[in-house]
């Protein structure tokens, strides 16, 4: 099947699940995303769809700005509007991981501002196979070894991978036939990066019969196993889980009686639900934290606090992770809450301003839990903290529920 037909089928399937009349494309200038742009432009003409393109400049290479400008020029030949999104945060720690998170955050904000239906990213069958090998080397379980999703929700946006079933060589052939160039990122040959080393090792694996198609097929079968295990986790969560002011709590006795795989699936889902993290924690870290929490220790992981008290395991938001999280009234705060109120005010975590809430003890919730809920401020003055019983005219609060958590398990 040609790349053109594969792309068309992928978009037809996506449209059966929801509208894709306004589609964003993440285009770096590499061969994969450039071919996706070409295929998308052809498809949009036939389908009457509206395209927008964004290139993320992480500021990590001096050439990045010029490359984004080059992509913009090519987009102009297709009549497609282009935007360059710049990462303003200085890199620290795991730069690749931070850059990946920033890329999706920037793209999601851009897409929401333009009221796009979805954003397409250019992952290919080769990426699928390479990711499988990388995760196998890290000792990943069923979820980590499962195939990439081709249609999913994250950061308040729908994401598509319309060229996931197409190989890199097929996509490059499309560009060669159209006489369209692409940019070679020097990091693609830098053996300091795991993916580059895996890409080189794939040649030897193919000689053993572990070629791209075989690895992709195995990942797809792991996805089928993941679906069954996820449904089992939802069934197990229903009787033993509560969501209280954004915290997920498990009945400790019921939780510890579950199979190990189910426990860890639920714990990872709770951490992602509370923190809105794009990825689940590394398995070794998750397993260690669970053991320590069940022994009575209080731990933090992925922007969450975890502790055992009064027969319940509580996974809540870490206050320090909310220090710079703000929103305007009526906007989504920390990915899960909406607090309305007067104009010219700001929503942020209640924090130490709980001391200005005279009736918070009457709510019957722990002080630390209330401190992580959203509150309305006029400068430094607390106007409202509905979760802590401190109200003002026009302030209303909606937050996450148990139904939201159960749905989140399935969506992950």
């Amino acid at each position: 099947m040609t790349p053109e037909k594969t792309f068309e089928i992928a978009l037809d399937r996506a449209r059966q699940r929801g509208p894709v009349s306004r589609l964003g494309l993440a285009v770096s200038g590499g061969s994969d995303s450039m071919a996706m742009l070409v295929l998308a432009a052809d498809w949009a003409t036939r389908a009457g769809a509206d395209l927008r393109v964004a290139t993320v400049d992480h500021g990590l290479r001096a050439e990045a700005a010029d490359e984004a400008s080059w992509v913009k020029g090519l987009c102009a030949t297709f009549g497609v509007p282009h935007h360059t999104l710049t990462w303003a945060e200085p890199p620290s720690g795991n730069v690749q991981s931070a850059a990946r998170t920033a890329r999706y955050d920037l793209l999601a904000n851009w897409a929401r501002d333009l009221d796009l239906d979805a954003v397409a990213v250019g992952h290919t069958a080769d990426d699928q196979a390479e990711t499988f090998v990388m995760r196998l080397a890290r000792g990943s379980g069923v979820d980590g070894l499962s195939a990439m999703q081709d249609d999913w929700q994250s950061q308040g946006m729908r994401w598509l991978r319309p060229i996931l079933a197409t190989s890199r060589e097929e996509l490059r052939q499309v560009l060669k036939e159209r006489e369209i160039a692409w940019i070679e990122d020097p990091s693609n040959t830098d053996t300091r990066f795991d993916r580059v080393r895996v890409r080189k090792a794939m040649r030897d694996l193919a000689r053993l019969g572990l070629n791209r198609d075989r690895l992709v097929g195995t990942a797809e079968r792991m996805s089928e196993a993941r679906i069954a295990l996820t449904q089992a986790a939802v069934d197990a969560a229903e009787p033993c889980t509560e969501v209280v002011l954004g915290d997920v709590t498990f009945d400790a006795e019921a939780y510890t009686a579950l199979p190990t795989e189910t426990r860890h699936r639920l714990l990872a889902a709770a951490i992602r639900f509370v923190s809105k993290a794009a990825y689940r924690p590394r398995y070794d870290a998750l397993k260690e934290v669970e053991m320590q929490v069940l022994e009575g220790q209080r731990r933090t992981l992925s922007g969450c606090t975890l502790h055992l008290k009064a027969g319940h395991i509580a996974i809540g938001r870490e206050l320090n992770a909310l220090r710079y999280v703000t929103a305007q009234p009526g906007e989504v705060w920390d990915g899960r809450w909406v607090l309305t109120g007067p104009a010219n005010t700001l929503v942020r975590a209640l924090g130490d301003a709980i001391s200005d809430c005279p009736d918070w003890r009457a709510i019957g919730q722990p002080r630390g839990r209330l401190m992580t809920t959203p509150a309305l401020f006029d400068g430094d003055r607390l106007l409202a903290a509905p979760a802590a019983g401190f109200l003002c005219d026009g302030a209303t609060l909606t937050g996450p529920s148990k139904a939201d958590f159960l749905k989140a398990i399935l969506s992950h």
Side-chain angles (χ1 to χ4, degrees):
M1 191 180 300
T2 66
E4 291 83 358
K5 187 62 177 177
T6 301
F7 187 93
E8 181 179 352
I9 290 173
L11 267 294
D12 285 347
R13 288 175 178 166
R15 294 178 98 177
Q16 291 173 10
R17 304 183 191 110
V20 193
S21 58
R22 291 177 55 79
L23 179 64
L25 304 175
V27 179
S28 66
S31 60
D32 301 343
S33 62
M34 289 299 296
M36 181 176 69
L37 169 60
V38 171
L39 298 173
D42 290 348
W43 168 81
T45 300
R46 296 191 302 270
D50 186 16
L51 292 183
R52 295 288 189 276
V53 169
T55 302
V56 176
D57 177 3
H58 295 99
L60 300 177
R61 294 187 297 113
E63 307 88 349
D66 289 339
E67 291 169 356
S69 179
W70 181 81
V71 174
K72 181 177 182 178
L74 189 66
C75 286
T77 67
F78 287 103
V80 178
H82 175 276
H83 301 81
T84 298
L85 310 179
T86 304
W87 186 27
E89 296 292 329
S92 61
N94 186 331
V95 174
Q96 280 197 312
S97 176
R100 180 179 61 239
T101 300
R103 179 164 60 250
Y104 278 98
D105 285 343
L106 288 167
L107 288 167
N109 291 335
W110 165 75
R112 285 193 296 269
D113 288 344
L114 293 179
D115 196 28
L116 301 182
D117 296 319
V119 177
V121 293
H123 294 128
T124 69
D126 295 84
D127 293 312
Q128 180 91 278
E130 292 161 9
T131 299
F132 180 89
V133 174
M134 289 170 63
R135 291 178 175 173
L136 185 64
R138 294 172 185 162
S140 295
V142 172
D143 282 15
L145 298 178
S146 295
M148 293 179 178
Q149 294 175 292
D150 60 2
D151 189 343
W152 79 103
Q153 296 279 343
S154 178
Q155 283 113 319
M157 180 50 56
R158 185 184 182 194
W159 305 87
L160 304 175
R161 290 186 173 110
I163 58 173
L164 191 57
T166 309
S167 72
R168 184 167 293 123
E169 53 221 62
E170 291 174 314
L171 293 167
R172 290 187 172 185
Q173 188 58 38
V174 168
L175 295 176
K176 290 174 183 176
E177 291 171 359
R178 310 277 185 112
E179 297 184 344
I180 294 175
W182 65 84
I183 297 167
E184 290 286 1
D185 187 337
S187 68
N188 288 335
T189 58
D190 190 337
T191 54
R192 290 178 300 172
F193 298 119
D194 289 346
R195 186 171 293 275
V196 175
R197 293 196 295 271
V198 165
R199 194 168 292 164
K200 292 179 179 296
M202 293 279 286
R203 300 163 193 159
D204 292 329
L205 292 176
R207 285 192 280 269
L208 297 173
L210 294 174
N211 58 27
R212 180 190 61 227
D213 294 342
R214 181 66 57 84
L215 293 168
V216 169
T218 301
E220 289 172 347
R221 287 191 291 277
M222 296 297 275
S223 291
E224 294 170 1
R226 179 181 63 184
I227 291 170
L229 290 169
T230 299
Q231 185 58 58
V234 171
D235 295 342
E238 177 65 46
C240 73
T241 306
E242 296 296 337
V243 174
V244 184
L245 294 181
D247 289 9
V248 177
T249 68
F250 298 123
D251 178 273
E253 183 177 358
Y255 175 86
T256 55
L258 294 172
T260 301
E261 205 287 335
T262 304
R263 292 200 323 271
H264 291 166
R265 185 171 295 274
L266 288 181
L267 187 59
I271 291 170
R272 289 189 63 183
F273 179 73
V274 171
S275 68
K276 305 308 292 181
Y279 300 95
R280 61 182 287 167
R282 290 284 178 90
Y283 182 70
D284 288 345
L286 183 78
K287 185 169 62 172
E288 180 182 9
V289 163
E290 182 202 50
M291 178 184 67
Q292 293 171 338
V293 169
L294 291 175
E295 291 174 348
Q297 298 182 47
R298 186 182 183 91
R299 291 296 311 275
T300 60
L301 182 64
S302 300
C304 294
T305 62
L306 301 92
H307 67 278
L308 173 65
K309 187 175 181 180
H312 288 84
I313 300 165
I315 299 92
R317 200 67 164 105
E318 184 181 6
L319 182 59
N320 192 51
L322 298 171
R323 193 170 302 278
Y324 303 108
V325 179
T326 62
Q328 298 298 315
E331 295 180 344
V332 177
W333 179 80
D334 197 34
R336 302 183 301 156
W337 301 86
V338 176
L339 176 56
T340 63
N344 302 316
T345 58
L346 194 65
V347 179
R348 63 176 189 261
L350 175 57
D352 292 335
I354 194 171
S355 59
D356 295 326
C357 301
D359 300 322
W360 72 263
R361 290 178 179 81
I363 301 298
Q365 293 295 327
R367 186 173 188 270
R369 179 176 291 167
L370 292 171
M371 290 172 70
T372 64
T373 60
L376 199 62
F377 290 85
D378 180 4
D380 292 330
R381 184 168 68 94
L382 178 67
L383 295 181
F390 189 68
L391 306 176
C392 75
D393 290 341
T396 63
L397 179 65
T398 57
S401 66
K402 178 177 175 178
D404 295 329
F405 173 59
L406 297 178
K407 183 179 178 181
I409 299 174
L410 290 171
S411 66
H412 292 160

